[in-house]
Amino acid sequence: MGQGKLAERGKTARDQDAWICFEDEAGQSLRPPKAGTWSRRGHIPVVTVTVTVMGSGRVSVAGLICLKPGQRSRLIFRMLLYRGRRGEQKGFREVDYARLLDAAHQQLGGPIVLVWDNLTAHRDAKMRGLIDSRPWLTVFYLPSYAPELNPAGGVWSHLKRSLGNLAPATLEQLGALIRTRLKQMQYRSNLLDAFVPHTGLTVAKGSAMNPFLSTSILRMKRAP
């Protein structure tokens, strides 16, 4: 994993008594994702989407899977609706990530070790300044193009399967569906835990029933 501010803020999440938070983003347009379903033999299900609906906006979501030994896993997210209007913000910017992290710090009540990818908005000077101004935050970067190492990707995969073959008429309806699905996941800590082993990263058992990331995960080494 790319180096973060490891030396100045402790060597591991355990040293800091910190939460390990994996961050990732995803988006969904009004075009419904394809998914398998049941139907009578020889009758292919058809989802009708009008031309005016397709491509008219996008829902962007940024989320954190947060893990700590002895604590239930958490999902914290923020959502933006882009309607395609002139001057409207299309995606998340540095200040939006900072607000998400501030909200996570407030909800979790402790230091955070953040693991995320090499997106430009994650590494530029403005974001580095926002990170430096938060002494409770330590940041690590995933290797370039390594989505399979990020458990948060499992959230988006599970979300999009649940939206399969749905055809909301408006962006607001799509946003409400996404919010409902994510809120349901927030109450299923076992589901969030299950996204970690799929990355192939090392998992250890803590004092509670929920699994948590071992020290070796902070170095992003795969299990043998």
Side-chain angles (χ1 to χ4, degrees):
M1 190 189 332
Q3 292 299 310
K5 291 175 285 184
L6 185 60
E8 63 187 78
R9 296 184 185 175
K11 293 184 177 180
T12 67
R14 182 174 297 174
D15 292 339
Q16 301 179 52
D17 191 30
W19 288 79
I20 301 176
C21 297
F22 286 88
E23 191 275 347
D24 198 20
E25 305 95 44
Q28 179 61 48
S29 69
L30 284 168
R31 183 192 297 267
K34 295 180 181 179
T37 187
W38 295 94
S39 70
R40 290 189 300 163
R41 186 187 297 272
H43 293 76
I44 299 175
V46 176
V47 177
T48 303
V49 182
T50 65
V51 176
T52 55
V53 167
M54 291 167 53
S56 57
R58 184 176 181 83
V59 177
S60 297
V61 189
L64 297 163
I65 284 187
C66 309
L67 305 110
K68 185 178 180 181
Q71 302 286 340
R72 70 175 183 85
S73 302
R74 310 284 185 87
L75 171 63
I76 300 171
F77 68 92
R78 289 294 182 271
M79 196 169 65
L80 290 175
L81 270 62
Y82 172 69
R83 299 173 180 82
R85 298 168 183 168
R86 180 176 297 181
E88 192 175 26
Q89 182 174 329
K90 190 172 184 179
F92 286 88
R93 298 173 182 171
E94 294 87 349
V95 66
D96 301 306
Y97 294 122
R99 288 169 181 163
L100 172 62
L101 294 169
D102 288 341
H105 177 58
Q106 184 176 13
Q107 291 183 44
L108 300 174
I112 290 175
V113 172
L114 173 66
V115 183
W116 59 3
D117 59 28
N118 284 278
L119 188 71
T120 300
H122 294 171
R123 299 193 66 109
D124 62 19
K126 185 174 182 179
M127 193 70 238
R128 289 198 304 270
L130 292 168
I131 291 170
D132 290 339
S133 66
R134 289 159 171 79
W136 43 265
L137 179 63
T138 303
V139 177
F140 290 88
Y141 296 94
L142 291 162
S144 298
Y145 195 70
E148 72 281 359
L149 293 178
N150 196 335
V155 173
W156 313 134
S157 177
H158 187 81
L159 170 66
K160 293 199 175 187
R161 284 198 301 271
S162 75
L163 296 174
N165 297 330
L166 295 176
T170 67
L171 199 65
E172 287 72 21
Q173 288 182 6
L174 176 62
L177 284 170
I178 290 175
R179 187 179 298 277
T180 298
R181 298 294 196 273
L182 291 175
K183 282 184 174 294
Q184 290 171 346
M185 277 191 263
Q186 286 180 321
Y187 291 99
R188 300 179 62 189
S189 59
N190 289 338
L191 175 64
L192 301 178
D193 291 336
F195 296 142
V196 179
H198 285 287
T199 65
L201 298 173
T202 304
V203 178
K205 286 286 185 179
S207 56
M209 293 300 294
N210 291 340
F212 71 95
L213 303 178
S214 69
T215 303
S216 60
I217 264 193
L218 286 179
R219 302 187 181 93
M220 299 309 294
K221 293 181 178 178
R222 287 186 176 275

Coordinates of all heavy atoms in Angstrom, one line a residue, residues 49-121:
V49 N -37.8 1.5 -20.8 CA -37.2 2.8 -20.4 C -37.3 3.8 -21.5 O -36.9 3.5 -22.6 CB -35.7 2.7 -19.9 CG1 -35.2 4.0 -19.4 CG2 -35.6 1.6 -18.9
T50 N -37.9 5.0 -21.3 CA -38.1 5.9 -22.3 C -36.7 6.6 -22.6 O -35.9 6.7 -21.8 CB -39.1 7.0 -21.9 OG1 -38.6 7.7 -20.8 CG2 -40.4 6.4 -21.6
V51 N -36.6 7.1 -23.8 CA -35.4 7.8 -24.3 C -35.1 9.0 -23.4 O -34.0 9.4 -23.1 CB -35.4 8.2 -25.8 CG1 -34.2 9.0 -26.2 CG2 -35.6 6.9 -26.6
T52 N -36.1 9.7 -23.0 CA -36.0 11.0 -22.2 C -35.4 10.6 -20.8 O -34.8 11.5 -20.2 CB -37.3 11.7 -22.1 OG1 -38.3 10.9 -21.6 CG2 -37.7 12.2 -23.4
V53 N -35.8 9.5 -20.3 CA -35.3 9.1 -19.0 C -33.9 8.7 -19.0 O -33.1 9.0 -18.1 CB -36.2 7.9 -18.4 CG1 -35.5 7.3 -17.2 CG2 -37.6 8.4 -18.1
M54 N -33.5 7.9 -20.0 CA -32.1 7.4 -20.1 C -31.1 8.6 -20.2 O -31.2 9.4 -21.1 CB -31.9 6.5 -21.3 CG -32.7 5.2 -21.1 SD -32.8 4.2 -22.6 CE -31.1 4.1 -23.1
G55 N -30.1 8.6 -19.3 CA -29.1 9.6 -19.4 C -29.4 10.9 -18.8 O -28.7 11.9 -18.9
S56 N -30.6 11.1 -18.2 CA -31.0 12.4 -17.7 C -30.7 12.5 -16.2 O -31.5 12.5 -15.3 CB -32.5 12.6 -17.9 OG -33.2 11.6 -17.3
G57 N -29.4 12.5 -15.9 CA -29.0 12.6 -14.5 C -28.2 11.4 -13.9 O -28.2 10.4 -14.6
R58 N -27.7 11.6 -12.7 CA -26.9 10.6 -12.1 C -26.9 10.7 -10.6 O -26.8 11.9 -10.1 CB -25.5 10.6 -12.7 CG -24.5 9.5 -12.2 CD -23.2 9.6 -12.9 NE -22.3 8.5 -12.5 CZ -22.3 7.3 -13.0 NH1 -23.1 7.0 -14.0 NH2 -21.4 6.4 -12.6
V59 N -26.9 9.6 -9.9 CA -26.8 9.6 -8.5 C -25.3 9.2 -8.1 O -24.9 8.1 -8.6 CB -27.8 8.7 -7.8 CG1 -27.5 8.7 -6.3 CG2 -29.2 9.2 -8.1
S60 N -24.6 10.0 -7.4 CA -23.2 9.6 -7.0 C -23.3 9.3 -5.5 O -23.9 10.1 -4.7 CB -22.3 10.8 -7.3 OG -22.2 11.0 -8.7
V61 N -22.5 8.3 -5.1 CA -22.5 7.9 -3.7 C -21.0 7.7 -3.3 O -20.3 7.1 -4.0 CB -23.3 6.6 -3.4 CG1 -23.4 6.4 -1.9 CG2 -24.7 6.7 -4.0
A62 N -20.7 8.2 -2.1 CA -19.4 7.9 -1.5 C -19.6 7.3 -0.2 O -20.5 7.7 0.6 CB -18.5 9.2 -1.3
G63 N -18.9 6.2 0.1 CA -19.2 5.5 1.4 C -18.0 4.9 2.0 O -16.9 4.8 1.4
L64 N -18.1 4.7 3.3 CA -17.0 4.1 4.2 C -17.5 2.8 4.8 O -18.6 2.8 5.4 CB -16.6 5.1 5.3 CG -16.1 6.5 4.9 CD1 -16.1 7.4 6.0 CD2 -14.6 6.3 4.4
I65 N -16.7 1.8 4.7 CA -16.9 0.6 5.6 C -15.9 0.8 6.7 O -14.7 0.9 6.5 CB -16.6 -0.7 4.8 CG1 -17.8 -1.1 3.9 CG2 -16.4 -1.9 5.8 CD1 -17.7 -2.4 3.3
C66 N -16.5 0.8 7.9 CA -15.6 1.1 9.1 C -15.6 -0.1 10.0 O -16.6 -0.7 10.4 CB -16.2 2.3 9.9 SG -16.6 3.7 8.8
L67 N -14.4 -0.5 10.4 CA -14.2 -1.7 11.2 C -13.3 -1.5 12.4 O -12.3 -0.7 12.3 CB -13.6 -2.9 10.3 CG -14.4 -3.2 9.1 CD1 -13.6 -2.8 7.8 CD2 -14.7 -4.7 9.0
K68 N -13.6 -2.1 13.5 CA -12.8 -2.0 14.7 C -13.0 -3.2 15.6 O -14.2 -3.7 15.7 CB -13.1 -0.7 15.5 CG -12.2 -0.5 16.7 CD -12.6 0.9 17.3 CE -11.7 1.1 18.6 NZ -12.1 2.4 19.2
P69 N -12.0 -3.8 16.2 CA -12.2 -5.0 17.1 C -13.1 -4.7 18.2 O -13.0 -3.6 18.9 CB -10.8 -5.3 17.6 CG -10.0 -4.1 17.3 CD -10.6 -3.4 16.1
G70 N -14.1 -5.6 18.5 CA -15.0 -5.4 19.6 C -16.2 -4.5 19.3 O -17.1 -4.3 20.1
Q71 N -16.2 -3.9 18.0 CA -17.3 -3.1 17.6 C -18.0 -3.7 16.4 O -17.4 -4.3 15.6 CB -16.8 -1.7 17.3 CG -16.1 -1.0 18.4 CD -17.1 -0.5 19.5 OE1 -18.3 -0.3 19.2 NE2 -16.5 -0.2 20.7
R72 N -19.3 -3.4 16.2 CA -20.0 -3.8 15.0 C -19.5 -3.0 13.8 O -19.2 -1.8 14.0 CB -21.5 -3.8 15.2 CG -22.1 -2.4 15.2 CD -23.6 -2.4 15.3 NE -24.2 -1.1 15.3 CZ -24.5 -0.4 14.2 NH1 -24.2 -0.9 13.0 NH2 -25.0 0.8 14.3
S73 N -19.4 -3.6 12.7 CA -19.0 -2.8 11.5 C -20.1 -1.8 11.1 O -21.2 -2.0 11.3 CB -18.8 -3.8 10.3 OG -17.8 -4.7 10.7
R74 N -19.6 -0.7 10.5 CA -20.5 0.4 10.2 C -20.4 0.7 8.7 O -19.3 0.6 8.1 CB -20.1 1.7 11.0 CG -20.0 1.5 12.5 CD -21.3 1.4 13.2 NE -21.1 1.3 14.6 CZ -21.0 2.4 15.4 NH1 -21.1 3.6 14.9 NH2 -20.8 2.2 16.7
L75 N -21.4 1.3 8.1 CA -21.5 1.8 6.8 C -21.9 3.3 6.9 O -23.0 3.5 7.4 CB -22.4 1.0 5.9 CG -22.7 1.7 4.5 CD1 -21.4 1.8 3.7 CD2 -23.7 0.9 3.7
I76 N -21.1 4.2 6.5 CA -21.4 5.6 6.5 C -21.3 6.1 5.1 O -20.3 5.9 4.4 CB -20.5 6.4 7.4 CG1 -20.6 5.8 8.8 CG2 -20.8 7.9 7.4 CD1 -19.5 6.4 9.8
F77 N -22.3 6.9 4.6 CA -22.3 7.3 3.2 C -22.9 8.7 3.0 O -23.6 9.2 3.9 CB -23.1 6.3 2.3 CG -24.6 6.3 2.6 CD1 -25.5 7.1 1.9 CD2 -25.1 5.4 3.6 CE1 -26.8 7.1 2.1 CE2 -26.5 5.4 3.8 CZ -27.3 6.2 3.1
R78 N -22.6 9.3 1.9 CA -23.2 10.5 1.5 C -23.5 10.4 0.0 O -22.9 9.7 -0.8 CB -22.2 11.7 1.7 CG -22.0 12.1 3.1 CD -23.2 12.6 3.8 NE -23.0 13.0 5.1 CZ -23.2 12.2 6.2 NH1 -23.5 11.0 6.0 NH2 -23.0 12.7 7.4
M79 N -24.6 11.1 -0.4 CA -25.1 11.0 -1.8 C -25.3 12.3 -2.4 O -25.7 13.3 -1.8 CB -26.5 10.3 -1.7 CG -27.0 9.7 -3.0 SD -28.4 8.6 -2.7 CE -29.6 9.7 -2.0
L80 N -25.0 12.4 -3.7 CA -25.2 13.6 -4.5 C -26.1 13.3 -5.7 O -25.9 12.3 -6.4 CB -23.9 14.2 -5.0 CG -23.0 14.8 -4.0 CD1 -21.7 15.2 -4.6 CD2 -23.6 16.0 -3.3
L81 N -27.0 14.2 -6.1 CA -27.8 14.1 -7.3 C -27.4 15.1 -8.3 O -27.3 16.3 -8.0 CB -29.3 14.3 -6.9 CG -30.1 13.0 -6.5 CD1 -29.6 12.4 -5.3 CD2 -31.6 13.4 -6.4
Y82 N -27.1 14.6 -9.5 CA -26.7 15.5 -10.6 C -27.7 15.4 -11.7 O -28.0 14.3 -12.3 CB -25.3 15.0 -11.2 CG -24.9 15.7 -12.4 CD1 -24.6 17.1 -12.4 CD2 -24.9 15.1 -13.6 CE1 -24.2 17.8 -13.5 CE2 -24.5 15.7 -14.8 CZ -24.2 17.1 -14.7 OH -23.8 17.7 -15.9
R83 N -28.4 16.5 -11.9 CA -29.5 16.5 -12.9 C -29.1 17.0 -14.3 O -30.0 17.2 -15.1 CB -30.6 17.4 -12.3 CG -31.2 16.9 -11.0 CD -32.2 17.9 -10.4 NE -32.7 17.4 -9.1 CZ -32.1 17.5 -7.9 NH1 -30.9 18.0 -7.9 NH2 -32.6 17.0 -6.8
G84 N -27.8 17.3 -14.5 CA -27.4 17.8 -15.8 C -27.6 19.3 -16.0 O -27.5 19.7 -17.2
R85 N -27.9 20.0 -15.0 CA -28.1 21.5 -15.2 C -26.7 22.2 -15.2 O -25.8 21.8 -14.6 CB -28.9 22.0 -14.0 CG -30.3 21.4 -13.9 CD -31.0 21.7 -12.6 NE -32.3 21.1 -12.5 CZ -33.0 21.0 -11.4 NH1 -32.6 21.6 -10.3 NH2 -34.2 20.4 -11.4
R86 N -26.8 23.3 -15.9 CA -25.5 24.1 -16.0 C -25.1 24.6 -14.6 O -25.8 25.1 -13.8 CB -25.8 25.3 -16.9 CG -24.6 26.2 -17.1 CD -24.9 27.4 -18.1 NE -25.2 26.9 -19.4 CZ -25.5 27.7 -20.4 NH1 -25.5 29.0 -20.3 NH2 -25.8 27.1 -21.6
G87 N -23.8 24.4 -14.4 CA -23.2 24.8 -13.1 C -23.4 23.9 -12.0 O -22.9 24.2 -10.9
E88 N -24.1 22.8 -12.2 CA -24.4 21.9 -11.1 C -23.2 21.0 -10.9 O -22.5 20.6 -11.8 CB -25.6 21.0 -11.5 CG -26.2 20.2 -10.3 CD -27.4 19.5 -10.7 OE1 -27.7 19.2 -11.9 OE2 -28.3 19.3 -9.8
Q89 N -22.9 20.7 -9.6 CA -21.8 19.8 -9.3 C -22.1 18.4 -9.7 O -23.1 17.8 -9.3 CB -21.6 19.9 -7.7 CG -20.4 19.0 -7.3 CD -20.1 19.2 -5.8 OE1 -20.4 20.3 -5.2 NE2 -19.6 18.2 -5.2
K90 N -21.1 17.8 -10.5 CA -21.4 16.5 -11.0 C -20.9 15.3 -10.1 O -21.5 14.3 -10.1 CB -20.6 16.4 -12.4 CG -21.0 15.1 -13.2 CD -20.4 15.1 -14.5 CE -20.8 13.9 -15.4 NZ -20.3 13.9 -16.7
G91 N -19.9 15.5 -9.3 CA -19.4 14.5 -8.5 C -18.8 15.0 -7.2 O -18.9 16.2 -6.9
F92 N -18.2 14.2 -6.4 CA -17.7 14.6 -5.1 C -16.4 15.3 -5.3 O -15.6 15.0 -6.1 CB -17.4 13.3 -4.2 CG -18.7 12.7 -3.7 CD1 -19.4 11.8 -4.4 CD2 -19.2 13.1 -2.5 CE1 -20.6 11.2 -3.9 CE2 -20.4 12.6 -1.9 CZ -21.1 11.7 -2.7
R93 N -16.2 16.4 -4.5 CA -15.0 17.1 -4.5 C -14.3 17.0 -3.1 O -14.9 16.4 -2.2 CB -15.3 18.6 -4.8 CG -15.9 18.8 -6.1 CD -16.4 20.3 -6.4 NE -17.0 20.4 -7.7 CZ -17.7 21.5 -8.1 NH1 -17.8 22.5 -7.2 NH2 -18.2 21.6 -9.3
E94 N -13.2 17.6 -3.0 CA -12.4 17.5 -1.8 C -13.2 17.9 -0.5 O -13.1 17.2 0.5 CB -11.1 18.3 -1.8 CG -10.1 17.9 -2.9 CD -10.4 18.5 -4.3 OE1 -11.5 19.1 -4.5 OE2 -9.5 18.4 -5.2
V95 N -13.9 19.0 -0.6 CA -14.7 19.4 0.6 C -15.8 18.4 1.0 O -16.1 18.2 2.1 CB -15.2 20.8 0.4 CG1 -16.3 20.8 -0.7 CG2 -15.8 21.4 1.7
D96 N -16.3 17.7 0.0 CA -17.3 16.7 0.2 C -16.7 15.5 0.9 O -17.4 14.9 1.9 CB -18.0 16.3 -1.1 CG -18.6 17.4 -1.8 OD1 -19.5 18.1 -1.2 OD2 -18.3 17.6 -3.0
Y97 N -15.5 15.1 0.5 CA -14.9 14.0 1.2 C -14.5 14.4 2.6 O -14.7 13.6 3.6 CB -13.6 13.6 0.5 CG -13.8 13.0 -0.9 CD1 -13.2 13.6 -2.0 CD2 -14.5 11.9 -1.1 CE1 -13.4 13.1 -3.3 CE2 -14.7 11.3 -2.3 CZ -14.1 11.9 -3.4 OH -14.3 11.4 -4.7
A98 N -14.1 15.6 2.8 CA -13.8 16.1 4.2 C -15.0 16.0 5.1 O -15.0 15.6 6.3 CB -13.2 17.5 4.1
R99 N -16.2 16.4 4.5 CA -17.4 16.4 5.3 C -17.8 15.0 5.7 O -18.3 14.7 6.8 CB -18.5 17.1 4.5 CG -18.4 18.6 4.4 CD -19.4 19.2 3.5 NE -19.2 20.6 3.4 CZ -19.7 21.4 2.4 NH1 -20.4 20.8 1.4 NH2 -19.5 22.7 2.3
L100 N -17.6 14.0 4.7 CA -17.9 12.6 5.0 C -17.0 12.1 6.1 O -17.5 11.4 7.0 CB -17.7 11.8 3.7 CG -17.8 10.3 3.9 CD1 -19.1 9.9 4.3 CD2 -17.4 9.6 2.5
L101 N -15.7 12.5 6.1 CA -14.8 12.0 7.1 C -15.1 12.6 8.5 O -15.0 12.0 9.5 CB -13.4 12.3 6.7 CG -12.9 11.5 5.4 CD1 -11.6 12.1 4.9 CD2 -12.8 10.0 5.8
D102 N -15.5 13.9 8.4 CA -15.9 14.6 9.7 C -17.1 13.9 10.3 O -17.2 13.7 11.5 CB -16.2 16.1 9.5 CG -14.9 16.8 9.2 OD1 -13.8 16.4 9.5 OD2 -15.0 18.0 8.6
A103 N -18.1 13.6 9.5 CA -19.3 12.9 10.0 C -18.9 11.5 10.5 O -19.4 11.1 11.6 CB -20.3 12.8 8.8
A104 N -18.0 10.8 9.9 CA -17.6 9.5 10.4 C -16.9 9.6 11.7 O -17.1 8.8 12.6 CB -16.7 8.8 9.3
H105 N -16.0 10.6 11.8 CA -15.3 10.8 13.1 C -16.2 11.1 14.2 O -16.1 10.6 15.3 CB -14.3 12.0 12.9 CG -13.6 12.4 14.1 ND1 -12.8 11.5 14.8 CD2 -13.5 13.5 14.8 CE1 -12.2 12.1 15.9 NE2 -12.6 13.3 15.9
Q106 N -17.3 11.9 13.9 CA -18.3 12.2 14.9 C -19.1 11.0 15.3 O -19.3 10.8 16.5 CB -19.2 13.3 14.4 CG -20.2 13.8 15.5 CD -21.0 15.0 15.0 OE1 -21.0 15.3 13.8 NE2 -21.7 15.6 15.9
Q107 N -19.5 10.2 14.4 CA -20.3 9.0 14.7 C -19.5 7.9 15.3 O -20.0 7.2 16.2 CB -20.9 8.5 13.4 CG -22.0 9.4 12.8 CD -22.6 8.8 11.5 OE1 -22.9 7.6 11.5 NE2 -22.8 9.6 10.5
L108 N -18.2 7.7 14.9 CA -17.4 6.7 15.4 C -16.8 7.0 16.8 O -16.4 6.1 17.6 CB -16.3 6.3 14.4 CG -16.9 5.8 13.1 CD1 -15.7 5.6 12.1 CD2 -17.7 4.5 13.2
G109 N -16.5 8.3 17.0 CA -16.0 8.8 18.3 C -14.6 8.4 18.5 O -14.2 8.1 19.7
G110 N -13.7 8.3 17.5 CA -12.3 8.0 17.7 C -11.5 8.3 16.4 O -12.1 8.7 15.4
P111 N -10.2 8.0 16.5 CA -9.3 8.2 15.4 C -9.7 7.3 14.2 O -10.3 6.3 14.4 CB -7.9 7.9 15.9 CG -8.0 7.9 17.4 CD -9.4 7.6 17.7
I112 N -9.3 7.7 13.0 CA -9.7 6.9 11.8 C -8.4 6.7 11.0 O -7.6 7.6 10.8 CB -10.7 7.7 10.9 CG1 -12.0 7.8 11.6 CG2 -10.8 7.1 9.5 CD1 -13.1 8.6 10.9
V113 N -8.2 5.4 10.6 CA -7.2 5.1 9.6 C -8.0 4.9 8.3 O -8.7 3.9 8.2 CB -6.4 3.8 10.0 CG1 -5.5 3.4 8.9 CG2 -5.6 4.1 11.3
L114 N -7.8 5.8 7.4 CA -8.5 5.8 6.1 C -7.7 5.1 5.0 O -6.5 5.4 4.8 CB -8.8 7.2 5.7 CG -9.5 7.4 4.3 CD1 -10.9 6.8 4.3 CD2 -9.5 8.9 3.9
V115 N -8.3 4.2 4.3 CA -7.7 3.5 3.2 C -8.6 3.8 1.9 O -9.8 3.5 1.9 CB -7.6 2.0 3.4 CG1 -6.9 1.3 2.2 CG2 -6.9 1.7 4.7
W116 N -8.0 4.4 0.9 CA -8.7 4.7 -0.3 C -7.8 4.7 -1.5 O -6.6 4.5 -1.4 CB -9.5 6.0 -0.2 CG -8.8 7.3 0.1 CD1 -7.4 7.4 0.2 CD2 -9.4 8.5 0.2 NE1 -7.2 8.7 0.4 CE2 -8.3 9.5 0.5 CE3 -10.7 9.0 0.3 CZ2 -8.6 10.8 0.7 CZ3 -10.9 10.4 0.5 CH2 -9.9 11.3 0.7
D117 N -8.4 4.9 -2.7 CA -7.6 4.7 -3.9 C -6.9 6.0 -4.3 O -6.9 7.0 -3.5 CB -8.5 4.2 -5.1 CG -9.6 5.2 -5.4 OD1 -9.5 6.4 -5.1 OD2 -10.7 4.7 -5.9
N118 N -6.2 6.0 -5.5 CA -5.4 7.1 -5.9 C -6.1 8.1 -6.8 O -5.5 8.7 -7.7 CB -4.2 6.5 -6.7 CG -3.2 5.9 -5.8 OD1 -2.3 6.6 -5.2 ND2 -3.2 4.6 -5.6
L119 N -7.4 8.2 -6.6 CA -8.1 9.3 -7.3 C -7.5 10.6 -7.1 O -7.0 10.9 -6.0 CB -9.6 9.3 -6.8 CG -10.6 10.2 -7.6 CD1 -10.9 9.6 -8.9 CD2 -11.8 10.3 -6.8
T120 N -7.4 11.5 -8.2 CA -6.8 12.7 -8.1 C -7.3 13.6 -6.9 O -6.5 14.2 -6.2 CB -6.9 13.5 -9.4 OG1 -6.4 12.8 -10.5 CG2 -6.3 14.9 -9.3
A121 N -8.6 13.6 -6.7 CA -9.2 14.4 -5.6 C -8.8 13.8 -4.2 O -9.0 14.5 -3.2 CB -10.7 14.4 -5.8

